[in-house]
Amino acid sequence: QVQLVESGGGLVQPGGSLRLSCAASGSIYSINAMAWYRQAPGKQRELVAKITNGGSTNYQDFVKGRFTISRDNAKNTVYLQMNSLKPEDTAVYYCYADVLMRDRTLYPYWGQGTQVTVSS
């Protein structure tokens, strides 16, 4: 089994910054892509940013220039640095990982979610 544990959410004023972390643990051989998604009340879950195990990144237009995704492969951890936060960034943020298990099977895993609230 694999667990993804997120941290770093909270309440921040518009224009502020937060850094989310997500650490994976368990029967992991390696991790392929990792990503951050978010889900606002009454809306569908949407992709925010994605990073490959080689470090290539992809961002949705609504966060380009404000958010930065990164990862530490040695720690099986992905980060999301969020700057210039806006009220519309308020959502539950979920991390995602494509995990290659020790038996070489590939499974998708989700974190439990962390609340980010941007409000004055």
Side-chain angles (χ1 to χ4, degrees), residues 8-52:
L11 173 65
V12 64
Q13 292 187 341
S17 298
L18 282 175
R19 189 190 193 213
L20 306 183
S21 299
C22 173
S25 63
S27 300
I28 299 169
Y29 178 76
S30 66
I31 301 178
N32 293 346
M34 302 185 82
W36 288 95
Y37 286 74
R38 70 185 187 186
Q39 187 167 19
K43 294 187 177 181
Q44 290 189 332
R45 190 173 299 189
E46 61 183 358
L47 175 67
V48 175
K50 186 175 183 178
I51 185 167
T52 68

Coordinates of all heavy atoms in Angstrom, one line a residue, residues 8-52:
G8 N 0.5 21.9 4.5 CA 0.9 23.3 4.1 C -0.3 24.1 3.7 O -0.2 25.3 3.4
G9 N -1.5 23.6 3.8 CA -2.7 24.4 3.5 C -3.0 25.4 4.6 O -2.4 25.4 5.7
G10 N -4.0 26.3 4.4 CA -4.4 27.2 5.4 C -5.1 28.4 4.9 O -5.5 28.4 3.7
L11 N -5.2 29.4 5.7 CA -5.8 30.7 5.4 C -4.8 31.7 5.0 O -3.9 31.9 5.8 CB -6.7 31.1 6.5 CG -7.4 32.5 6.4 CD1 -8.4 32.6 5.2 CD2 -8.1 32.9 7.7
V12 N -4.9 32.4 3.9 CA -4.0 33.4 3.5 C -4.7 34.6 2.9 O -5.8 34.4 2.3 CB -2.9 32.8 2.6 CG1 -3.6 32.4 1.3 CG2 -1.8 33.8 2.3
Q13 N -4.2 35.8 3.0 CA -4.8 36.9 2.4 C -4.5 37.0 0.9 O -3.5 36.4 0.4 CB -4.3 38.2 3.0 CG -4.8 38.4 4.5 CD -4.4 39.7 5.0 OE1 -3.5 40.4 4.5 NE2 -5.1 40.2 6.1
P14 N -5.4 37.6 0.1 CA -5.1 37.8 -1.3 C -3.7 38.4 -1.5 O -3.3 39.4 -0.8 CB -6.2 38.7 -1.8 CG -7.3 38.4 -0.9 CD -6.7 38.2 0.5
G15 N -3.0 37.9 -2.5 CA -1.6 38.3 -2.7 C -0.6 37.6 -2.0 O 0.6 37.8 -2.2
G16 N -1.0 36.8 -1.0 CA -0.1 36.0 -0.2 C 0.4 34.7 -0.8 O 0.1 34.5 -2.0
S17 N 1.2 34.0 -0.1 CA 1.8 32.8 -0.6 C 1.6 31.6 0.4 O 1.5 31.8 1.6 CB 3.3 33.0 -0.8 OG 3.6 34.0 -1.7
L18 N 1.6 30.4 -0.2 CA 1.6 29.2 0.6 C 2.4 28.2 -0.2 O 2.5 28.2 -1.4 CB 0.2 28.6 0.7 CG -0.8 29.3 1.8 CD1 -2.1 28.6 1.7 CD2 -0.2 29.1 3.2
R19 N 3.0 27.2 0.6 CA 3.7 26.1 0.0 C 3.1 24.8 0.4 O 3.1 24.5 1.6 CB 5.2 26.1 0.3 CG 6.0 25.1 -0.4 CD 7.4 25.0 0.1 NE 8.3 24.3 -0.8 CZ 9.4 23.6 -0.3 NH1 9.6 23.5 1.0 NH2 10.2 23.0 -1.2
L20 N 2.6 24.0 -0.5 CA 2.0 22.7 -0.2 C 3.1 21.6 -0.4 O 3.9 21.7 -1.3 CB 0.8 22.4 -1.1 CG -0.3 23.4 -1.1 CD1 -1.4 22.9 -2.0 CD2 -0.8 23.7 0.3
S21 N 3.0 20.6 0.4 CA 3.9 19.5 0.3 C 3.1 18.2 0.3 O 2.0 18.1 0.9 CB 4.9 19.4 1.5 OG 5.7 20.5 1.5
C22 N 3.6 17.2 -0.4 CA 2.9 15.9 -0.4 C 4.0 14.8 -0.4 O 4.8 14.7 -1.4 CB 2.0 15.8 -1.6 SG 1.3 14.1 -1.9
A23 N 4.1 14.0 0.6 CA 5.1 12.9 0.7 C 4.4 11.6 0.6 O 3.4 11.3 1.2 CB 5.7 13.0 2.1
A24 N 5.0 10.8 -0.3 CA 4.5 9.4 -0.6 C 5.4 8.4 0.2 O 6.6 8.5 0.3 CB 4.6 9.1 -2.0
S25 N 4.7 7.4 0.8 CA 5.4 6.3 1.5 C 4.7 5.0 1.3 O 3.5 5.0 0.9 CB 5.5 6.7 3.0 OG 4.2 6.7 3.5
G26 N 5.4 3.9 1.4 CA 4.9 2.6 1.3 C 5.7 1.7 0.3 O 6.9 1.9 0.2
S27 N 5.0 0.8 -0.3 CA 5.7 -0.2 -1.2 C 6.0 0.4 -2.6 O 5.5 0.0 -3.6 CB 4.9 -1.4 -1.3 OG 4.7 -2.0 -0.1
I28 N 6.9 1.4 -2.6 CA 7.2 2.2 -3.8 C 8.5 1.8 -4.4 O 9.5 1.7 -3.7 CB 7.2 3.7 -3.4 CG1 5.9 4.2 -2.9 CG2 7.6 4.5 -4.7 CD1 6.0 5.6 -2.3
Y29 N 8.4 1.4 -5.7 CA 9.7 1.2 -6.4 C 10.2 2.5 -7.0 O 11.3 2.9 -6.9 CB 9.5 0.2 -7.5 CG 10.7 -0.1 -8.4 CD1 11.8 -0.8 -7.9 CD2 10.8 0.5 -9.6 CE1 12.9 -1.1 -8.6 CE2 12.0 0.3 -10.4 CZ 13.0 -0.5 -9.9 OH 14.1 -0.7 -10.6
S30 N 9.2 3.2 -7.7 CA 9.5 4.6 -8.2 C 8.2 5.3 -8.4 O 7.1 4.7 -8.4 CB 10.4 4.6 -9.4 OG 9.6 4.0 -10.5
I31 N 8.3 6.6 -8.7 CA 7.0 7.3 -9.0 C 7.2 8.0 -10.3 O 8.2 8.7 -10.6 CB 6.7 8.4 -7.9 CG1 6.6 7.7 -6.5 CG2 5.5 9.2 -8.2 CD1 6.3 8.7 -5.4
N32 N 6.3 7.8 -11.2 CA 6.3 8.5 -12.5 C 5.8 9.9 -12.3 O 6.4 10.7 -11.6 CB 5.5 7.7 -13.5 CG 6.1 6.3 -13.8 OD1 7.3 6.1 -13.5 ND2 5.4 5.4 -14.4
A33 N 4.7 10.3 -13.0 CA 4.2 11.6 -12.9 C 3.6 11.9 -11.5 O 3.1 11.0 -10.8 CB 3.2 11.9 -13.9
M34 N 3.7 13.1 -11.0 CA 3.1 13.6 -9.8 C 2.4 14.9 -10.2 O 2.8 15.6 -11.1 CB 4.1 13.9 -8.7 CG 4.9 12.6 -8.3 SD 5.9 12.9 -6.8 CE 4.7 12.6 -5.5
A35 N 1.3 15.2 -9.5 CA 0.5 16.4 -9.9 C -0.3 16.9 -8.7 O -0.4 16.2 -7.7 CB -0.5 16.0 -11.0
W36 N -0.7 18.1 -8.9 CA -1.6 18.7 -7.9 C -3.0 19.0 -8.7 O -2.9 19.6 -9.8 CB -1.1 20.0 -7.3 CG 0.0 19.8 -6.4 CD1 1.4 19.8 -6.7 CD2 -0.1 19.5 -5.0 NE1 2.1 19.6 -5.5 CE2 1.2 19.4 -4.5 CE3 -1.2 19.4 -4.1 CZ2 1.5 19.1 -3.1 CZ3 -0.9 19.1 -2.8 CH2 0.4 19.0 -2.3
Y37 N -4.1 18.7 -8.0 CA -5.4 19.0 -8.5 C -6.1 19.8 -7.4 O -5.6 19.9 -6.3 CB -6.2 17.7 -8.7 CG -5.8 16.9 -9.9 CD1 -4.7 16.2 -9.9 CD2 -6.7 16.9 -11.0 CE1 -4.3 15.4 -11.1 CE2 -6.4 16.1 -12.1 CZ -5.2 15.4 -12.1 OH -4.9 14.7 -13.3
R38 N -7.2 20.5 -7.8 CA -8.0 21.2 -6.8 C -9.4 21.1 -7.1 O -9.8 20.8 -8.2 CB -7.5 22.7 -6.7 CG -7.9 23.5 -7.9 CD -7.4 24.9 -7.8 NE -7.9 25.8 -8.8 CZ -7.4 27.0 -9.0 NH1 -6.5 27.5 -8.2 NH2 -7.9 27.8 -10.0
Q39 N -10.2 21.2 -6.0 CA -11.7 21.2 -6.2 C -12.3 22.2 -5.3 O -12.2 22.2 -4.1 CB -12.2 19.8 -5.8 CG -13.7 19.6 -6.1 CD -14.1 18.1 -6.0 OE1 -13.4 17.3 -5.4 NE2 -15.3 17.8 -6.6
A40 N -13.0 23.2 -5.9 CA -13.7 24.2 -5.2 C -15.1 23.7 -5.0 O -15.6 22.9 -5.7 CB -13.7 25.5 -6.0
P41 N -15.8 24.3 -4.0 CA -17.2 23.9 -3.7 C -18.1 24.0 -4.9 O -18.1 25.1 -5.6 CB -17.6 24.9 -2.6 CG -16.3 25.3 -1.9 CD -15.3 25.3 -3.0
G42 N -18.8 23.0 -5.2 CA -19.7 23.0 -6.3 C -19.1 22.8 -7.7 O -19.8 22.9 -8.7
K43 N -17.8 22.6 -7.7 CA -17.1 22.4 -9.0 C -16.4 21.1 -9.1 O -16.2 20.4 -8.1 CB -16.1 23.6 -9.2 CG -16.7 24.9 -9.3 CD -15.6 26.0 -9.6 CE -16.3 27.3 -9.8 NZ -15.2 28.4 -10.2
Q44 N -16.1 20.7 -10.3 CA -15.3 19.5 -10.5 C -13.9 19.6 -10.1 O -13.3 20.7 -10.2 CB -15.5 19.0 -12.0 CG -16.9 18.6 -12.3 CD -16.9 17.9 -13.7 OE1 -16.1 18.3 -14.6 NE2 -17.8 17.0 -13.9
R45 N -13.2 18.5 -9.8 CA -11.8 18.5 -9.6 C -11.1 18.8 -10.9 O -11.4 18.3 -11.9 CB -11.4 17.2 -9.0 CG -9.9 17.1 -8.5 CD -9.6 15.8 -7.8 NE -10.5 15.6 -6.7 CZ -10.3 14.6 -5.8 NH1 -9.3 13.7 -6.0 NH2 -11.1 14.4 -4.8
E46 N -10.1 19.7 -10.8 CA -9.3 20.1 -12.0 C -7.8 20.0 -11.7 O -7.4 20.2 -10.6 CB -9.7 21.6 -12.4 CG -9.4 22.6 -11.3 CD -9.9 24.0 -11.7 OE1 -10.4 24.2 -12.8 OE2 -9.7 24.9 -10.9
L47 N -7.1 19.8 -12.8 CA -5.7 19.7 -12.7 C -5.1 21.1 -12.6 O -5.6 22.1 -13.2 CB -5.1 19.1 -14.0 CG -3.6 19.1 -14.2 CD1 -3.0 18.2 -13.2 CD2 -3.2 18.7 -15.6
V48 N -4.1 21.3 -11.7 CA -3.4 22.5 -11.5 C -2.1 22.5 -12.2 O -1.8 23.4 -13.0 CB -3.3 22.8 -10.0 CG1 -2.4 24.1 -9.8 CG2 -4.6 22.9 -9.3
A49 N -1.3 21.5 -11.8 CA 0.1 21.4 -12.4 C 0.5 20.0 -12.3 O 0.1 19.2 -11.4 CB 1.0 22.3 -11.6
K50 N 1.5 19.6 -13.2 CA 1.9 18.2 -13.3 C 3.5 18.3 -13.5 O 4.0 19.2 -14.1 CB 1.3 17.5 -14.4 CG 1.5 16.0 -14.6 CD 0.7 15.5 -15.7 CE 0.9 14.0 -15.8 NZ 0.0 13.4 -16.9
I51 N 4.2 17.2 -13.0 CA 5.6 17.1 -13.1 C 6.0 15.7 -13.4 O 5.5 14.8 -12.7 CB 6.3 17.7 -11.9 CG1 7.8 17.8 -12.2 CG2 6.0 17.0 -10.6 CD1 8.6 18.6 -11.1
T52 N 6.8 15.4 -14.3 CA 7.3 14.1 -14.6 C 8.4 13.7 -13.7 O 9.0 14.6 -13.0 CB 7.8 13.9 -16.1 OG1 9.0 14.7 -16.2 CG2 6.7 14.4 -17.0

